[in-house]
Each structure stands twice: as structure tokens, then as C-alpha cells.
Amino acid sequence: MHRTERDQEVSALDRTLTKLRAELHELMQDNKRNWESVSSQMELQIANSEKGHTTSSQLLSEKKLSLKTNIETERQSGRDAEATLRKKKERIEADLTSQVIKYDENMAALLRQTEEIKEKMTSERDDLLDLEEYFAKVDANQKRQNVEIEVLSIFAQRRNFVKGKLNREATSIQKIVRAS
């Protein structure tokens, strides 16, 4: 009766272990896919940001050069026109500075996100190692339990054999005692 219950328990534990391993594998695959997706999105976003920044910088630099040329030409036209163009130039430079600051903030945010993802990956890797260690202990306990069951089974067989032999010998002794 106990052996059947143990076998059922072992079978249930084995099914649970198999299910947990499958879930662990699925989680690892999902994590890997998510990491790859996030990495590719980040790379694409970084590339797009760099492209946009480069284009904006070039456009603003070209515009700045154009405005400087106009300022030199207009200087001869009068001080009023020169003052107006200087104000325009300062505004463009302020816009460029604000765009650079915004770009730097976006890059810093992306860097923080990357670090958070790396920390999460490290944490999940640690969790995985803990689970692997736990399942290794479960497997070792199961093996030890199987060995103990086998030893107990062999012991029971030997005890039954010796008990049978003692019974036969006791019967033989009783026959001899009664016959005398």
C-alpha cells in the first residue's frame, strides 16, 4: 500500500517537476525574446535619434552660416537690420542648445532604461540559478529516497527469509523434542 502511494507521490512530483521545467524554459525563452526586442528597439531608437540630431545640427549650422553672411552684408545697410539679425541668430542658437539638452536628456533616459534592463536580467539570472539549485536538491532527495526504499525492500526480503527459516527450524526442533 505504501509503495503504491509513494509511486503515486513520486509520479505526481515528477509531473510537477516536468511542468515547472517547461514553465521555466518558456519563461527563459520569453525573457530572451523580450530582451532581443527591447535591444533592437533601443538600437533603432538610438540610431533614429542620432540621425535626427545630426540632420538638425547640420541644418542649424548651415542656417547659422547663412545668417552670418547676411549679417555681414546687412551691416552696411544699417544698425537696425544688424540688431534684428543678431536677435534671430541668438534665438537659433538657443533652439540648438535646447535641442542638444533635450537630446542629452533622451540619451540619459535610454541609458537608465538599459541599466534597469541589465539589472532585471541579472536578477532573473540569479532567480534561475536559485531554481536550478532547488531542483537539483529535489532530484538528489528523490534519488536518496529511492535508494532508501530499495534498501528497506531488501531488508524486508531478508527478514522474511530469515523468519521463514527460523520457523522451519523451530518446527524441526519441536518435532525432535516431541519425538523424544
Side-chain angles (χ1 to χ4, degrees):
M1 187 80 162
H2 290 275
R3 179 154 179 91
T4 305
E5 290 174 0
R6 265 184 216 264
D7 287 346
Q8 290 174 348
E9 184 179 331
V10 167
S11 177
L13 287 173
D14 189 43
R15 286 190 302 272
T16 303
L17 181 59
T18 302
K19 181 181 176 185
L20 287 173
R21 281 184 180 156
E23 289 176 6
L24 177 61
H25 180 71
E26 184 176 324
L27 284 172
M28 287 174 61
Q29 293 297 321
D30 286 345
N31 285 344
K32 183 179 179 183
R33 282 191 295 272
N34 288 343
W35 174 251
E36 290 171 356
S37 173
V38 167
S39 292
S40 67
Q41 288 175 0
M42 281 184 2
E43 289 173 6
L44 181 62
Q45 191 173 5
I46 288 170
N48 287 340
S49 295
E50 287 175 350
K51 229 193 253 184
H53 180 263
T54 303
T55 304
S56 294
S57 294
Q58 287 176 342
L59 289 174
L60 290 173
S61 293
E62 291 171 8
K63 194 168 187 177
K64 181 180 171 183
L65 287 174
S66 171
L67 289 174
K68 280 185 178 182
T69 305
N70 288 340
I71 287 172
E72 294 299 321
T73 309
E74 293 292 324
R75 183 177 293 201
Q76 297 170 5
S77 301
R79 296 274 180 205
D80 293 337
E82 183 179 12
T84 303
L85 289 176
R86 280 189 190 187
K87 287 180 183 178
K88 189 173 183 180
K89 176 186 162 204
E90 290 171 1
R91 251 193 320 260
I92 290 172
E93 288 175 345
D95 288 343
L96 176 61
T97 302
S98 70
Q99 286 182 1
V100 169
I101 290 171
K102 185 176 179 182
Y103 174 77
D104 289 343
E105 290 171 352
N106 289 341
M107 288 299 110
L110 287 174
L111 183 62
R112 282 191 302 274
Q113 288 176 350
T114 302
E115 292 302 322
E116 289 171 4
I117 289 169
K118 285 180 182 178
E119 289 174 8
K120 186 176 180 181
M121 183 181 76
T122 302
S123 171
E124 289 179 2
R125 186 179 298 133
D126 291 344
D127 291 346
L128 173 64
L129 292 174
D130 290 343
L131 282 173
E132 287 175 349
E133 180 181 339
Y134 173 76
F135 286 123
K137 287 179 182 177
V138 168
D139 289 343
N141 285 339
Q142 185 62 43
K143 287 178 185 176
R144 189 172 44 251
Q145 185 180 20
N146 289 342
V147 168
E148 289 173 359
I149 290 170
E150 188 167 320
V151 167
L152 288 175
S153 174
I154 291 170
F155 176 77
Q157 287 175 357
R158 286 184 182 173
R159 188 190 59 179
N160 289 337
F161 174 75
V162 169
K163 189 175 179 181
K165 191 171 185 177
L166 281 174
N167 286 339
R168 286 190 300 277
E169 292 300 322
T171 302
S172 297
I173 291 171
Q174 284 178 355
K175 283 182 187 178
I176 293 171
V177 170
R178 285 184 189 160
S180 355

